[in-house]
Amino acid sequence: MTQAPARPDTAPGDWPDTRQPDNTKIDAQIRELGYDPVNKKGMDGMHFLFAADYTTTDGAQFLNDALKDKSYKVIVRSQVLTFAPGPFQAVSDLYTNCTEDTAPMELQWSQTVSSTMSFEVTAGVEATFFEVVKASMSMSFGMSWTTSETFSSTYGMQVRSKHLGWMERSANRQTITGEIWVIKEPDFFTIAWYGNGQITGQATDGRPKGTLVPKTRPMTQGEISKFCTTRQDDGAGPVLPSFALPYLSAVSLDAQEE
């Protein structure tokens, strides 16, 4: 896979692989509710703290219930923010060139990059949870969080005779690794829980959003017989759906950072 030269404002080395949080404001919130976020204990004998595992069925149910109940305060306390390119995915349909000459093709592509978690958050409370994530990102990193983002455009490429062409894209991703605190609002006594978690989404620190790659490979003789026997007026073969792409071996042409 060959990558096109980076643009001047996105030269290698300009973008860190990790960022450390400033949790001053987050920790102040937790302390106001009676807990020491560093030493993981209550501030006095009326505040009880327990570890939670949100990856279990019971733990996930508890977190989702807490997000629905206004008497619970949910806080994301970040430990580190890491950045990495996501896997390349097919983002266009598959175009065939059944002519005897190299042909220009205008490929339409689209990719939606959604957030994922190491624990389950249901659709009913997803918006509430990501408001918590956005607040944490703003306070701890001075950055935003995009729950879901869709990218789409067209790309002109040359596809050689009896070849297939399509587009693949890798989104640049950011991952929060940290703690999810759930604190019951003060009553006669207060109970809180904390558990580890990871949240991954589209990178929002200003780096390129992703890398777009045109791909091509020769058709097999069987594919030529199947797709090119009945030629259309323009000499092109059919456009195949993107679900066919995982079954194809590919040769990369070049890459383009966005």
Side-chain angles (χ1 to χ4, degrees):
M1 185 181 302
T2 304
Q3 184 166 307
R7 298 179 303 182
D9 61 336
T10 59
D14 285 357
W15 304 101
D17 292 332
T18 63
R19 293 181 186 269
Q20 299 300 319
D22 176 359
N23 282 330
T24 303
K25 294 180 180 178
I26 293 290
D27 288 354
Q29 282 188 339
I30 296 173
R31 288 192 177 96
E32 285 178 4
L33 293 169
Y35 296 91
D36 180 347
V38 176
N39 297 312
K40 305 295 186 295
K41 64 181 183 179
M43 303 289 278
D44 57 42
M46 302 300 291
H47 293 78
F48 302 95
L49 181 63
F50 301 96
D53 184 354
Y54 301 126
T55 63
T56 66
T57 301
D58 289 344
Q61 185 64 56
F62 168 69
L63 177 60
N64 280 271
D65 288 344
L67 287 164
K68 299 175 187 176
D69 190 336
K70 294 186 182 299
S71 68
Y72 287 86
K73 179 75 171 180
V74 180
I75 299 173
V76 175
R77 184 177 186 269
S78 303
Q79 295 170 329
V80 65
L81 184 65
T82 58
F83 300 87
F88 276 92
Q89 299 175 335
V91 294
S92 77
D93 288 334
L94 182 67
Y95 289 74
T96 64
N97 179 8
C98 290
T99 71
E100 298 302 321
D101 303 304
T102 297
M105 293 189 177
E106 194 79 6
L107 275 67
Q108 296 182 342
W109 64 269
S110 179
Q111 182 185 36
T112 297
V113 183
S114 300
S115 296
T116 60
M117 289 76 70
S118 60
F119 45 89
E120 182 180 1
V121 174
T122 63
V125 296
E126 186 178 79
T128 301
F129 178 72
F130 279 108
E131 286 303 315
V132 174
V133 175
K134 291 174 184 178
S136 173
M137 283 289 291
S138 177
M139 286 189 283
S140 297
F141 296 100
M143 291 169 49
S144 63
W145 186 274
T146 301
T147 305
S148 179
E149 192 168 359
T150 298
F151 304 90
S152 62
S153 187
T154 58
Y155 188 95
M157 64 183 293
Q158 299 287 323
V159 178
R160 287 179 290 176
S161 171
K162 303 303 187 294
H163 276 61
L164 307 170
W166 69 95
M167 303 302 301
E168 293 189 3
R169 186 176 187 272
S170 165
N172 281 329
R173 310 273 278 171
Q174 59 190 26
T175 298
I176 301 173
T177 299
E179 300 160 350
I180 314 298
W181 284 67
V182 178
I183 305 174
K184 188 77 165 63
E185 291 293 343
D187 200 341
F188 178 71
F189 60 87
T190 303
I191 302 177
W193 298 260
Y194 72 94
N196 296 326
Q198 287 189 329
I199 309 155
T200 298
Q202 174 66 49
T204 59
D205 66 335
R207 70 186 63 215
K209 295 291 187 177
T211 301
L212 187 67
V213 181
K215 309 207 79 172
T216 185
R217 75 156 175 83
M219 284 188 278
T220 66
Q221 190 58 51
E223 289 167 342
I224 292 173
S225 299
K226 182 176 182 179
F227 301 129
C228 300
T229 300
T230 303
R231 292 169 52 163
Q232 300 173 358
D233 292 341
D234 59 3
V239 176
L240 307 179
S242 58
F243 65 73
L245 298 182
Y247 305 100
L248 305 175
S249 58
V251 177
S252 174
L253 298 181
D254 60 7
Q256 172 180 297
E257 284 188 335
E258 302 167 85

